[in-house]
Amino acid sequence: MKIVPVPCSFDNYSYLLICRKSGKAAVVDPTEAYPLQQEIEREKVQLSAILCTHHHQDHIGGIMDLRQQYPDVEVICHLSEKSRIRVATFFVEDGDRIQIGEVEGKVIHTPGHTRGSVCYHFDDHLFVGDTLFGAGCGRLFEGDARQMFNSLGKLAALPDETLIYFGHEYTRKNLEFAIRVEPQNRGVGRRLEGVNATAGITTPTTLALEKKTNPFLRTDSDDIKTILIQQGEADLQSPVEVFALLRRMRNDF
Ligand SMILES: [Zn+2]
């Protein structure tokens, strides 16, 4: 399988997944059609599916134009987003299998950013939409902290070498926040230096790197807890409470 990240709009990422054997392809989260059409033509592949991680407009804005050009394309989303992605044609739930050419993927339901947020997992490749970012995670628009915490726990249980393809380029700002809440984590500092030096595309990341540098996957860190308690949050008991506070702090950062 070949994966082409396609930067769209201001800071969005759409992705083109290609099954080399069959020449079939899928698009994940089409922000806008034009840059994706260009990649589809350049790669000379047949678009068979559009995979939607959630219903936000900056992830589905290109669907109508793509369907006009490729009328047979299947538009896939979680069952609970049916009424909000009206052009969707096929609905999935947690654990469902999907097929792109000869490549099989699995749906992981990860509510939190929206109720129907899903991630798509193909071999070592995981498409997470706005659930997880480089050194960060999505805002809790429709879910609560416990839901998102549990969703991130599902992703963290995948193999460390999993490549993670996220929906927005927020990595630098996320690392600036990460260093604020875990200043002694040298991995965070090194990662921020690297991002500042290249100032480029940071997708994909790996689960191993996120576990080392993403505070939202490090809610059991005593160092983070100590910093938060020093800032006046005396009654932090559980990792979920640490997560909820980190998310609120990041909203205002
Ligand atoms: Zn979103």
Side-chain angles (χ1 to χ4, degrees):
M1 192 168 70
K2 176 179 178 179
I3 292 156
V4 184
V6 183
C8 287
S9 187
F10 181 58
D11 56 23
N12 277 84
Y13 287 119
S14 300
Y15 297 96
L16 184 65
L17 279 72
I18 298 166
C19 166
R20 291 178 194 273
K21 278 189 189 164
S22 64
K24 291 197 172 167
V27 159
V28 181
D29 287 354
T31 303
E32 51 190 341
Y34 180 67
L36 289 160
Q37 284 164 341
Q38 284 197 311
E39 286 300 332
I40 291 164
E41 281 162 27
R42 187 175 302 142
E43 297 283 349
K44 298 186 172 53
V45 290
Q46 184 197 343
L47 187 67
S48 65
I50 294 172
L51 309 179
C52 307
T53 61
H54 65 296
H55 66 83
H56 287 159
Q57 189 58 31
D58 60 326
H59 295 253
I60 64 170
I63 294 179
M64 291 299 268
D65 286 346
L66 285 171
R67 282 205 75 195
Q68 258 180 3
Q69 195 173 351
Y70 312 99
D72 296 332
V73 73
E74 201 85 81
V75 181
I76 299 172
C77 72
H78 190 261
L79 185 61
S80 68
E81 308 242 316
K82 189 173 186 173
S83 62
R84 303 203 270 183
I85 307 179
R86 291 181 181 277
V87 290
T89 57
F90 190 82
F91 305 97
V92 291
E93 294 185 270
D94 189 55
D96 283 356
R97 305 262 169 192
I98 47 173
Q99 193 89 23
I100 309 299
E102 296 180 24
V103 182
E104 192 180 72
K106 193 176 165 189
V107 175
I108 305 174
H109 184 208
T110 49
H113 181 65
T114 68
R115 275 189 296 280
S117 284
V118 287
C119 300
Y120 297 97
H121 189 207
F122 295 86
D123 300 327
D124 289 340
H125 307 275
L126 181 70
F127 298 87
V128 294
D130 289 356
T131 293
L132 188 64
F133 293 124
C137 77
R139 285 175 185 256
L140 308 179
F141 284 123
E142 297 173 15
D144 61 22
R146 179 170 293 279
Q147 254 181 339
M148 188 62 139
F149 178 82
N150 290 339
S151 292
L152 294 182
K154 280 189 191 177
L155 303 184
L158 295 172
D160 272 357
E161 61 271 22
T162 305
L163 291 163
I164 296 169
Y165 300 80
F166 45 83
H168 289 272
E169 183 56 63
Y170 295 155
T171 308
R172 179 189 292 179
K173 180 105 193 227
N174 285 339
L175 285 165
E176 287 167 357
F177 175 74
I179 218 160
R180 184 77 66 89
V181 295
E182 199 179 12
Q184 62 281 67
N185 184 334
R186 294 168 71 175
V188 174
R190 276 198 299 273
R191 190 175 178 191
L192 182 57
E193 279 170 25
V195 169
N196 282 333
T198 56
I201 291 173
T202 63
T203 188
T205 177
T206 64
L207 185 56
L209 182 60
E210 294 311 314
K211 282 182 176 174
K212 285 183 191 143
T213 58
N214 187 330
F216 296 96
L217 296 182
R218 298 178 55 74
T219 49
D220 56 355
S221 155
D222 286 338
D223 289 341
I224 290 180
K225 202 169 164 182
T226 303
I227 290 276
L228 299 184
I229 289 170
Q230 279 170 1
Q231 293 181 1
E233 299 290 338
D235 56 349
L236 284 174
Q237 300 298 330
S238 66
V240 181
E241 286 175 344
V242 172
F243 176 84
L245 178 61
L246 286 173
R247 189 53 264 179
R248 286 201 302 277
M249 288 170 68
R250 179 63 181 87
N251 289 349
D252 300 329
F253 182 71

